[in-house]
Amino acid sequence: MKAVCLMSGGMDSTTLAYVAKDMGYEILALHMNYGQRTQHKELACARRAAQTLDAVDFVEISLDYFTKFGMSSLTDMDIAVEEGTLGRADRPNTYVPFRNANLISIATSYCESRDGDAVFIGVQSGDHIGYPDCTPEFIAAMQNVIKIGTQTEKEIKLLTPFVSMNKTDILREGLRLGVPYEDTWSCYDTEDTACGVCSSCLSRMKAFADLGIEDPIPYANR
Amino acid sequence: MKAVCLMSGGMDSTTLAYVAKDMGYEILALHMNYGQRTQHKELACARRAAQTLDAVDFVEISLDYFTKFGMSSLTDMDIAVEEGTLGRADRPNTYVPFRNANLISIATSYCESRDGDAVFIGVQSGDHIGYPDCTPEFIAAMQNVIKIGTQTEKEIKLLTPFVSMNKTDILREGLRLGVPYEDTWSCYDTEDTACGVCSSCLSRMKAFADLGIEDPIPYANR
């Protein structure tokens, strides 16, 4: 069994690849940058995790076309990343329109090309507000599209084991599986030391605090 | 009203953009190359058509990641384009896995970023066999994903006015609208003169023959 794992280099998708491996899948690692601020750091983290997991393949692709559409602070360098709130804004300016449909479609093309069995993506409960392309309803609709729109006789499964979990649950699971969190990156804004104020940093910091564990990566505000 | 039109440079998508304009939409033109053999010719045709239609924007993006997945003769230069049959093969080697899910997802991201109202894609009845991502069922499933996965309050419509038409019907409609077919390209294999033997050439030639009209582009075998 082979599964495409979307590996962003963040703590969720890295943990997810460890879960896929633990379920018995060989890993087809797929890393995508989309012109975001922290792309080099994220690539380095994803590559290291894929090596540790003995991934059978590592494909890196550039989706810099998102920069041509604008609108998100992640990809438009003229818009500052807003400071996060743990409750999340209704319309976070880090929203990249319909991003997960793009990511899942690409992963499915890759999966079908390599005769794979499943696609894993690390959406989670904390993303549901403000990101309609992270909800269980969206994932079910994408699974339906995959079933109808692929040629392969095996049905490619779209697996989201974290969809009802929060970041603290994910971290707990990752610690059980021995995920090296020093080799993951979550900050939306900076690459050397994490900013500690964007929404992604805030939720990561909260997960470690919830479990009373020290986060091994450096933060600017410490 | 603004609509994203996927403009490949081929006769169907060019005709489709004329239909969208005729329906009152301003055109957000989106051209994608995916490392296919005839990409330069197709880009030139798409750009010319967009100019003629007074498109409000023309975005060209490269999806060369398909070449990293392999498997299709359109994007893998080690696989020859097979000669076509008008009935189409069950598994044409020009099949690019899940391609239309990728194209529609990108178009929807673009549409939402620019506050657009609709996405047009030129799937048609002749594509249903061998290309599961061209069927009405697939389009309905994608429309559902768009409805669920976008943030915008207006529902972005996925419009496929050609889905029950064949190429002859499309050509008839295009002639009514004055589409300049000399500026469209259909051949999968070559850029200067069309090969006349690939499946795309065969269906184009059949459409012109059905209407008893001379195709204005040059063919190698004439």
Side-chain angles (χ1 to χ4, degrees), chain B residues 7-15 31 34 36-49 167 179-196 198 200-201 204-205 208 215-220:
Chain B
M7 297 184 71
S8 73
M11 61 181 279
D12 306 324
S13 70
T14 305
T15 307
H31 178 77
Y34 41 98
Q36 76 276 36
R37 289 162 196 266
T38 51
Q39 60 177 279
H40 298 103
K41 182 72 178 185
E42 290 175 28
L43 170 61
C45 286
R47 200 184 288 278
R48 206 169 301 130
K167 237 182 171 68
V179 176
Y181 285 106
E182 61 278 16
D183 293 333
T184 64
W185 198 252
S186 305
C187 181
Y188 281 151
D189 200 21
T190 52
E191 294 197 309
D192 294 323
T193 54
C195 77
C198 74
S200 186
C201 278
R204 178 179 175 124
M205 289 158 71
F208 279 90
D215 186 345
I217 66 160
Y219 285 91

Side-chain angles (χ1 to χ4, degrees), chain A residues 4-21:
Chain A
V4 172
C5 288
L6 287 162
M7 297 184 69
S8 73
M11 61 180 280
D12 306 324
S13 70
T14 305
T15 307
L16 188 64
Y18 274 76
V19 169
K21 184 85 176 183

Side-chain angles (χ1 to χ4, degrees), chain A residues 30 57 59-66 68-71 90-92 95-99 101-102 104-110 112-114 130-133 135 137-139 141-142 144-153, chain B residues 30 57 59-66 68-71 90-92 95-99 101-102 104-110 112-114 130-133 135 137-139 141-142 144-153:
Chain A
L30 180 58
D57 194 15
V59 170
E60 181 210 348
I61 64 182
S62 168
L63 292 191
D64 51 5
Y65 62 77
F66 280 118
K68 299 195 181 185
F69 303 156
M71 192 178 131
D90 268 2
R91 269 172 188 274
Y95 173 68
V96 177
F98 215 48
R99 184 185 70 175
N102 286 263
I104 293 169
S105 296
I106 294 165
T108 304
S109 292
Y110 178 37
E112 188 173 1
S113 300
R114 300 297 169 90
Y131 294 88
D133 57 346
T135 59
E137 295 71 28
F138 173 78
I139 295 298
M142 277 305 304
N144 186 44
V145 163
I146 292 170
K147 182 177 173 180
I148 293 172
T150 52
Q151 242 185 17
T152 171
E153 272 125 45
Chain B
L30 180 58
D57 195 15
V59 170
E60 182 210 348
I61 65 182
S62 169
L63 293 190
D64 52 4
Y65 62 78
F66 281 118
K68 299 195 180 185
F69 302 156
M71 192 178 132
D90 267 2
R91 269 172 189 275
Y95 174 68
V96 177
F98 215 48
R99 184 185 70 175
N102 286 263
I104 293 169
S105 296
I106 295 165
T108 304
S109 291
Y110 178 37
E112 188 173 1
S113 299
R114 300 298 170 88
Y131 295 87
D133 57 347
T135 59
E137 294 72 28
F138 173 77
I139 295 298
M142 278 304 305
N144 186 44
V145 164
I146 292 169
K147 182 177 173 179
I148 293 171
T150 52
Q151 240 185 18
T152 171
E153 272 125 47

Side-chain angles (χ1 to χ4, degrees), chain B residues 11-12 15 86 124-126 162 164-176 181 202-213:
Chain B
M11 61 181 279
D12 306 324
T15 307
L86 270 176
Q124 55 175 286
S125 63
F162 296 163
S164 303
M165 290 165 72
N166 63 29
K167 237 182 171 68
T168 308
D169 302 327
I170 293 169
L171 178 59
R172 191 181 293 112
E173 176 69 0
L175 292 168
R176 191 182 71 78
Y181 285 106
L202 289 189
S203 23
R204 178 179 175 124
M205 289 158 71
K206 179 178 184 307
F208 279 90
D210 281 349
L211 297 185
I213 287 171

